[in-house]
Amino acid sequence: MRIVRLTEETKSSLLEDLLKRSPNHYTEYEARVAEIIEAVREKGDEALFAYTKKFDRAEIDASNIRVTEEEIRDAYERTSPELVEVIRKALVNIRSYHEKQRRYSWFDSTPEGTILGQKVAPLAVAGVYVPGGKAVYPSSVLMNVVPAKVAGVERVIMTTPCDAQGRVNPATLVAAKEAGADEIYKAGGAQAIAAMAFGTESIPKVDKIVGPGNIYVALAKKAVYGYVSIDSIAGPSEILVLADETANPRYVAADLLSQAEHDELASAILITTSGDLAEKVSQEVDGFLKELSRREIIEKSLDNYGYILVADTMEDAVEAANAVASEHLEIVTKDPFQVMTKIKNAGAIFLGEYSSEPLGDYFAGPNHILPTNGTARFFSPLGVDDFTKKSSIIYYSRDALAKAQKDIIRFAENERLTAHANSIKVRFEGEGSGL
């Protein structure tokens, strides 16, 4: 991996490189995505099935697009009992974590005759997209479906690509069943997003679409936002490790590579105050590359978006980390908890040398659907709140409104909205507003 000194210039160059990975920079695909969306919107199943045949080489129609209970039973038979048990263990942790995120309706009354509150209700129908291209992601099934179910969503619709024989990966189906997905459809890519956004004869329209995917999926979610809600426009995966001289270089190298193997656009960055650690991590990376199965993908990722930055101080390192606002941030220092207090922007924060990033991907419980491409500055991990909506509750008695009428009328008339003011005045006709 390249080793460079952290300066304002190198930090600026790094941020510029990372932003190139954003779906917003792949405008050349937008016209194609828009064409797919419009076709599915206008022609429904006809277009959906045609695109499935074109891209996935699968003969899918109304009779076989929905995964059957028989297919799910077959999936359990084709999945090792050991993996099923791991999925169930992870599910317990994920559900337990997300149950702590629940919010409840509240009401606050006063002696003056007012009641103000907030009603919290789940979405009626949530759509979950699960990728199925370069790798299989049953873990993403759990991370998307569980918070929806914890929120109380009654109908969770899941779409995922199938193979040329019309089969969905068995582990994906097992995870969906265990997590509580209500309906599973064999559809992938931008056409699946369009189907959930507008509805077809086979796939129902949803209220919100969540889940990661390739550039076509990301741009499709961006295009349908407004017709439905979405969680975010996810970019390629990324990890940033903050480390000092106490860090184990072998552990750090392994963690960097755990994200670089996702795809060629993944980013792996180490920021350290130790030049010696930087050299050792680079050597360990070279050693691991000889052993790992996805070496070609990892090498391209590191060549394009892999960095080892050597900072003069930990304060400089933290400042750079906050500027990057990484999806995954590992803090491997003498006192990681103290460093963590200075972090302002990160999707998920892993503390200490035994809290490696894959722990969060699969098992610990917090959601691994995280903000990418610097959006951790204003976005949060997927959670229960993403599957709820809130309504404000307002009640005023006549006496309470009488006390407030002058202020409301004055505000409305200042904005020249006389009908607003009149709506208050008519309730006290004959009494005078006192204005």
Side-chain angles (χ1 to χ4, degrees), residues 111-392:
E112 287 74 26
T114 69
I115 299 175
L116 302 178
Q118 181 173 265
K119 180 181 178 182
V120 180
L123 303 180
V125 187
V128 171
Y129 184 83
V130 177
K134 294 181 179 179
V136 177
Y137 299 103
S139 59
S140 288
V141 177
L142 305 182
M143 296 294 180
N144 281 287
V145 175
V146 169
K149 280 303 180 181
V150 169
V153 176
E154 290 188 7
R155 194 177 182 190
V156 175
I157 307 299
M158 185 178 117
T159 64
T160 189
C162 62
D163 63 19
Q165 286 71 47
R167 297 173 302 189
V168 176
N169 179 270
T172 297
L173 292 183
V174 168
K177 180 67 174 180
E178 293 290 328
D182 297 290
E183 301 165 33
I184 307 167
Y185 295 92
K186 303 168 186 176
Q191 60 271 23
I193 301 300
M196 289 192 284
F198 301 109
T200 72
E201 297 88 338
S202 296
I203 296 181
K205 173 178 168 53
V206 304
D207 298 316
K208 184 167 188 171
I209 300 172
V210 301
N214 62 19
I215 187 64
Y216 293 98
V217 170
L219 291 176
K221 288 171 69 177
K222 179 181 177 182
V224 301
Y225 177 63
Y227 296 100
V228 293
S229 180
I230 63 172
D231 52 347
S232 64
I233 304 169
S237 190
E238 56 200 27
I239 185 171
L240 190 152
V241 179
L242 271 180
D244 61 15
E245 70 284 354
T246 66
N248 184 316
R250 189 166 176 81
Y251 295 172
V252 172
D255 291 356
L256 292 171
L257 297 176
S258 73
Q259 290 307 291
E261 77 169 344
H262 271 292
D263 62 54
E264 293 88 346
L265 294 176
S267 171
I269 300 168
L270 166 63
I271 305 180
T272 180
T273 52
S274 170
D276 182 58
L277 179 73
E279 294 289 346
K280 289 180 179 177
V281 169
S282 182
Q283 293 169 11
E284 291 288 353
V285 165
D286 291 341
F288 279 128
L289 279 175
K290 299 173 183 177
E291 308 169 5
L292 297 172
S293 61
R294 293 167 69 87
R295 175 177 178 173
E296 186 175 341
I297 291 174
I298 294 172
E299 287 180 332
K300 289 180 179 179
S301 169
L302 296 181
D303 287 345
N304 293 322
Y305 304 107
Y307 294 87
I308 297 177
L309 302 173
V310 181
D312 291 330
T313 66
M314 185 54 66
E315 287 71 23
D316 291 340
V318 168
E319 182 182 351
N322 281 325
V324 172
S326 185
E327 177 188 18
H328 306 98
L329 173 65
E330 289 189 5
I331 303 177
V332 192
T333 61
K334 184 177 181 180
D335 188 353
F337 290 91
Q338 191 274 335
V339 175
M340 180 267 293
T341 63
K342 300 177 182 179
I343 297 299
K344 300 176 181 178
N345 305 319
I349 303 173
F350 301 78
L351 303 174
E353 65 180 8
Y354 294 105
S355 303
S356 61
E357 189 280 333
L359 173 66
D361 272 353
Y362 298 112
F363 202 76
N367 209 289
H368 79 203
I369 310 296
L370 303 166
T372 59
N373 281 113
T375 60
R377 289 178 289 111
F378 45 82
F379 277 140
S380 303
L382 188 71
V384 172
D385 277 354
D386 286 287
F387 298 96
T388 64
K389 53 192 178 69
K390 304 170 184 70
S391 299
S392 301

Side-chain angles (χ1 to χ4, degrees), residues 18 36 60 63 67 83 93 135 157 166 212 215 231-232 283 309 317:
L18 293 180
I36 294 171
I60 297 298
S63 69
V67 173
L83 179 56
N93 295 339
I157 307 299
I215 187 64
D231 52 347
S232 64
Q283 293 169 11
L309 302 173

